Amino acid sequence: MRPSRISALLTAAVLSFSLISCSDNNSDIPRIQRYRDKEKEFRIGQSYAIDEEDIPDDIEISAELCDISEIEEKVQLLIDHIDDEKENSVIKNDIQSLLNMYDKLYEAHTNMEVIFYSNYTDKALESEYNKFYRSAYVAEDLIAHGFIYGYSNIKYHELFEGLVDKDDLSEHEGEYDLEDARIESEASFEDRTEAMSAYYDVKSNDSLSGKEKDLECAKILLDLLEDYDTDLLYSQYDRDYTGDEIIALSKSVKSELIPVYDKLMDAYFATPSWTASYDAGKNADPFKVIREYAPMLSEDIAKSADIICNEKLYSICDNDEAYPGAFTDDLPAQKKARVFIGNVGEESELSSAIHEFGHFHACLYDDTPAYLFKNNMDIAEIQSQGLELLFMQFYDDIYGDAGDSKKIEKVLDLLDSVICGFFIGEFEYTVVKNKDDMTPQEVVDLFKSLALEYDSLYNLHDIPHLFESPGYYISYATSSLAAFDIFEDYQKNPKNALEQYEKIAKTSYNSGEFTFKMALKKCGFSDVLSKDYISGLAKQLTDYAESF
């Protein structure tokens, strides 16, 4: 198995909420799960049935793009031109043509993705969507094969330097037959989807107990991680921090941030309007709300709000057939993006919309071709979470008497991302580090022991991220820590917070130009992966809880 731009990005797209439960919106599970010594608990963000809305029918789908024979022919043409030693201008034209073709295929996938996730229970649509997924996956490998062929030619080496990375080289080393490359890619796709299918079969099997599901999932996980090591687990997301750094910080998270979480929960229940906060802010198009307040932030954010509203680049499908989550995915041929919000519950639509609009706003400043996406989700999630925190200054106006409750709810949401992210990150990294000596039962035991340390109620089989995109989950924690740096400025100097946010929003997470730590330094953020920062954050949030 190898990391894939398209597979990683597709997984990221459908898992863009900051909470584990977003992929399985079970109303029996509280959105924020902590052991509480309370007789009363409030299910923040719990979803209830609402009136159905029309499924989007105005999205054009280019089904013919699923036939990637034209891309395969164009790759072969590139190889022939290299063998014939054509002029550099001919090779450059071949390269650009392939990049443009992949942009269009990726865009077609995004459009099909929205239609499928709007009708998530439709098996026929699922089959159709998988054609787009498979085509994009294989097309990426075919193009990589052609670019590596050019990179390996001394005469044209420089033309391909920015198009090939070490993962491409190691994956395609020794391959010079295009048909073999396609067959290998198709087999890799089947291997990847087989693991995910096995997981979902176990997860949906009602004849199995929770313990049995956990044990079966542990077997699947160990098999899935056979081809991973501790370096690959993080390098596939273009990270510049290690799992060992995360493990070292996890002690501070557990000892300092979990107690603060409980203080914030106490503050939440102490607000007079917490019982009414569930109904606050309903019955409005959330993107029109965003458009109303965006000019109060900046001219650039207002322009992005106008674009998403005027061009209707969002779909809200809060009905039983829709996927229980939200995502933003690129439209690279247009240099824009599309937002989907599914069955998240009407009370959560505005919060989800603000989060996704943060991604949308950042996408408008990133013109990286889809084939070259590097998928630095640590940066991308700051772009969404940071905007959520900036919008808190409008909560009193938007939510009225429930403003304070909603503010604490948002901070709890973000803090939960940190705690859950470190929980899953510590578990996953430990398994990869010791996988050759672990039994499935030991994997389950490790998960349960860490769940106790992190005060989590989750089971191993509850978390699809582990099977859909190994190594991804820690990004929720690191980006949330960085977003809290904006929150500190927001409390003291909103203008500085906005400037900090706009810098990170215009920093490409796709181009590979910046790593996480580089981006933070460039945009004036603190060193968030340090014990001192976590201690300071714990004090800051304690003071915030006590301010209500």
Side-chain angles (χ1 to χ4, degrees):
M1 175 173 174
R2 53 90 172 104
S4 165
R5 296 177 186 85
I6 187 68
S7 62
L9 281 165
L10 300 189
T11 303
V14 301
L15 300 176
S16 55
F17 272 168
S18 59
L19 297 170
I20 294 174
S21 59
C22 73
S23 290
D24 182 18
N25 195 21
N26 184 343
S27 61
D28 292 331
I29 300 176
R31 187 176 178 204
I32 295 178
Q33 300 195 16
R34 295 271 165 257
Y35 289 132
R36 293 282 299 161
D37 187 18
K38 295 277 186 181
E39 294 182 359
K40 57 183 180 180
E41 275 293 355
F42 178 60
R43 294 180 178 181
I44 299 173
Q46 185 179 15
S47 179
Y48 293 90
I50 64 167
D51 293 335
E52 292 188 1
E53 294 187 22
D54 292 335
I55 300 299
D57 57 2
D58 56 345
I59 299 175
E60 294 184 6
I61 300 297
S62 301
E64 66 274 9
L65 289 172
C66 281
D67 179 5
I68 59 173
S69 58
E70 187 177 352
I71 288 179
E72 188 169 4
E73 290 171 4
K74 189 65 177 177
V75 173
Q76 186 60 58
L77 182 63
L78 168 65
I79 292 171
D80 292 342
H81 285 166
I82 291 170
D83 289 342
D84 293 341
E85 297 188 349
K86 296 288 187 179
E87 295 293 327
N88 281 11
S89 59
V90 174
I91 306 301
K92 287 180 179 179
N93 184 66
D94 288 341
I95 291 171
Q96 190 59 52
S97 178
L98 283 168
L99 293 177
N100 292 342
M101 291 171 75
Y102 191 78
D103 276 351
K104 291 178 181 178
L105 175 55
Y106 193 101
E107 189 161 304
H109 162 268
T110 295
N111 289 329
M112 187 63 213
E113 185 180 30
V114 170
I115 289 179
F116 167 51
Y117 280 87
S118 301
N119 301 268
Y120 197 61
T121 59
D122 189 321
K123 293 300 181 183
L125 266 179
E126 179 180 10
S127 178
E128 191 67 21
Y129 166 73
N130 283 338
K131 294 179 184 177
F132 285 82
Y133 187 168
R134 184 178 187 274
S135 295
Y137 187 100
V138 176
E140 177 196 320
D141 278 346
L142 294 178
I143 295 172
H145 174 81
F147 287 174
I148 290 170
Y149 190 83
Y151 182 84
S152 302
N153 185 292
I154 296 176
K155 180 177 180 179
Y156 302 110
H157 178 83
E158 291 185 1
L159 298 180
F160 293 89
E161 280 187 318
L163 304 171
V164 174
D165 58 32
K166 63 179 182 180
D167 290 330
D168 293 325
L169 290 172
S170 62
E171 176 61 28
H172 298 270
E173 186 177 7
E175 289 182 6
Y176 290 102
D177 183 272
L178 187 58
E179 183 178 358
D180 288 345
R182 176 175 51 78
I183 293 172
E184 174 65 25
S185 179
E186 290 169 348
S188 176
F189 179 82
E190 297 303 326
D191 287 344
R192 175 181 176 80
T193 54
E194 182 180 352
M196 288 189 288
S197 296
Y199 162 72
Y200 280 109
D201 286 344
V202 171
K203 182 176 173 61
S204 61
N205 189 342
D206 294 334
S207 68
L208 297 176
S209 67
K211 290 182 179 180
E212 290 171 329
K213 288 183 179 182
D214 277 352
L215 190 60
E216 289 301 312
C217 285
K219 295 176 184 177
I220 295 169
L221 185 61
L222 284 173
D223 184 58
L224 181 63
L225 295 176
E226 276 188 4
D227 296 325
Y228 282 85
D229 57 31
T230 52
D231 290 334
L232 177 59
L233 188 68
Y234 278 16
S235 67
Q236 62 181 325
Y237 298 105
D238 218 29
R239 293 182 177 134
D240 56 359
Y241 57 86
T242 67
D244 289 330
E245 289 181 73
I246 296 303
I247 298 296
L249 286 176
S250 65
K251 294 180 181 179
S252 296
V253 171
K254 285 179 275 193
S255 64
E256 299 197 57
L257 293 185
I258 290 177
V260 174
Y261 185 97
D262 288 335
K263 291 178 182 178
L264 282 163
M265 285 291 281
D266 290 335
Y268 179 82
F269 288 120
T271 57
S273 59
W274 73 267
T275 55
S277 65
Y278 171 80
D279 291 316
K282 287 185 176 181
N283 303 318
D285 183 327
F287 288 95
K288 291 181 180 178
V289 175
I290 291 171
R291 189 179 197 174
E292 177 183 353
Y293 290 95
M296 302 179 195
L297 291 173
S298 76
E299 182 179 346
D300 287 342
I301 295 174
K303 286 180 181 178
S304 296
D306 286 340
I307 290 172
I308 197 171
C309 289
N310 290 342
E311 301 185 30
K312 196 60 168 59
L313 292 170
Y314 64 91
S315 299
I316 301 174
C317 303
D318 211 343
N319 55 66
D320 291 341
E321 287 72 38
Y323 173 79
F327 60 81
T328 302
D329 210 347
D330 294 77
L331 299 172
Q334 299 181 49
K335 309 303 179 188
K336 293 175 185 174
R338 190 179 293 282
V339 170
F340 170 84
I341 298 177
N343 184 21
V344 300
E346 191 178 8
E347 75 287 348
S348 299
E349 282 183 2
L350 179 57
S351 178
S352 298
I354 295 170
H355 179 100
E356 299 305 330
F357 177 69
H359 287 308
F360 179 90
H361 175 61
C363 283
L364 297 183
Y365 292 93
D366 194 335
D367 59 0
T368 307
Y371 176 79
L372 297 178
F373 284 176
K374 294 295 184 181
N375 189 35
N376 194 314
M377 297 309 299
D378 302 85
I379 295 173
E381 287 300 313
I382 308 172
Q383 295 167 338
S384 57
Q385 294 166 333
L387 188 64
E388 289 184 86
L389 292 172
L390 289 179
F391 256 83
M392 284 174 59
Q393 63 191 283
F394 309 126
Y395 274 21
D396 290 338
D397 193 36
I398 294 172
Y399 295 113
D401 292 340
D404 284 348
S405 298
K406 287 292 187 181
K407 291 173 188 175
I408 301 174
E409 190 177 311
K410 178 51 57 185
V411 175
L412 280 167
D413 188 3
L414 207 60
L415 184 56
D416 192 58
S417 297
V418 176
I419 296 169
C420 286
F422 270 88
F423 165 32
I424 303 304
E426 183 175 355
F427 164 75
E428 191 170 40
Y429 186 76
T430 303
V431 172
V432 171
K433 200 171 185 178
N434 301 284
K435 59 186 172 65
D436 294 335
D437 300 315
M438 293 187 79
T439 66
Q441 186 59 55
E442 287 172 333
V443 171
V444 174
D445 292 342
L446 172 65
F447 187 92
K448 289 181 176 179
S449 66
L450 288 174
L452 288 175
E453 292 180 31
Y454 283 94
D455 290 348
S456 172
L457 301 179
Y458 289 108
N459 299 301
L460 177 59
H461 68 267
D462 290 328
I463 308 170
H465 307 61
L466 292 168
F467 308 90
E468 292 181 328
S469 193
Y472 174 84
Y473 205 87
I474 190 60
S475 288
Y476 290 136
T478 54
S479 60
S480 296
L481 286 174
F484 271 126
D485 204 36
I486 293 177
F487 180 65
E488 182 178 12
D489 277 345
Y490 153 73
Q491 289 183 283
K492 299 174 181 178
N493 190 328
K495 183 179 179 181
N496 285 351
L498 177 61
E499 291 176 357
Q500 193 176 18
Y501 172 76
E502 293 210 289
K503 287 179 181 178
I504 197 71
K506 296 174 183 177
T507 299
S508 173
Y509 79 94
N510 278 329
S511 68
E513 182 182 0
F514 296 99
T515 61
F516 178 62
K517 292 182 179 179
M518 287 171 59
L520 295 185
K521 185 175 182 180
K522 167 183 174 285
C523 299
F525 284 75
S526 303
D527 177 10
V528 303
L529 298 183
S530 69
K531 293 180 180 179
D532 287 344
Y533 179 82
I534 290 175
S535 295
L537 177 60
K539 183 181 184 308
Q540 175 196 351
L541 295 181
T542 297
D543 292 343
Y544 186 72
E546 293 174 352
S547 70
F548 290 92

